[in-house]
Amino acid sequence: GSTSSAASPSGAAASQPPAAADDEPTAAETGRVRFLGEAESIVLQGTTGRFPPGEVPAGTYDIIATFPGRDPASAGRITVNPGDELLLRCRAAFVKCVP
């Protein structure tokens, strides 16, 4: 008698947990933003709130810059990743602050 054995391929199932989006940043999820140039002040405005330069939660921000003799204006957009250290250079002629 002959016996036939069916070989079943063993597939390694790699299950990945779904990426959880936390609303509250932890200390490890912040970056540092500084600026220089012609702006008197800047504010970073994002979905998590408004922040002065310094330690900010990771995220994407509109840069609201105040240049001498002008009203605060949108001067660009940046993304801050955890651990980033960004230095923005602000130019009044272009009303821009860029890393």
Side-chain angles (χ1 to χ4, degrees):
S2 71
T3 60
S4 71
S5 62
S8 65
S10 64
S15 65
Q16 296 205 348
D22 291 334
D23 287 340
E24 299 178 31
T26 63
E29 293 175 325
T30 62
R32 183 164 287 281
V33 178
R34 296 180 299 137
F35 76 101
L36 56 78
E38 300 159 335
E40 292 178 335
S41 65
I42 68 169
V43 173
L44 303 174
Q45 183 172 316
T47 55
T48 53
R50 290 170 62 98
F51 300 93
E55 190 121 344
V56 298
T60 300
Y61 297 94
D62 289 315
I63 304 163
I64 310 299
T66 303
F67 292 98
R70 300 193 193 176
D71 289 333
S74 177
R77 193 177 186 112
I78 58 166
T79 298
V80 178
N81 295 307
D84 274 1
E85 294 230 2
L86 299 177
L87 179 61
L88 303 176
R89 290 171 176 82
C90 299
R91 297 282 308 272
F94 303 107
V95 192
K96 285 285 177 206
C97 293
V98 296

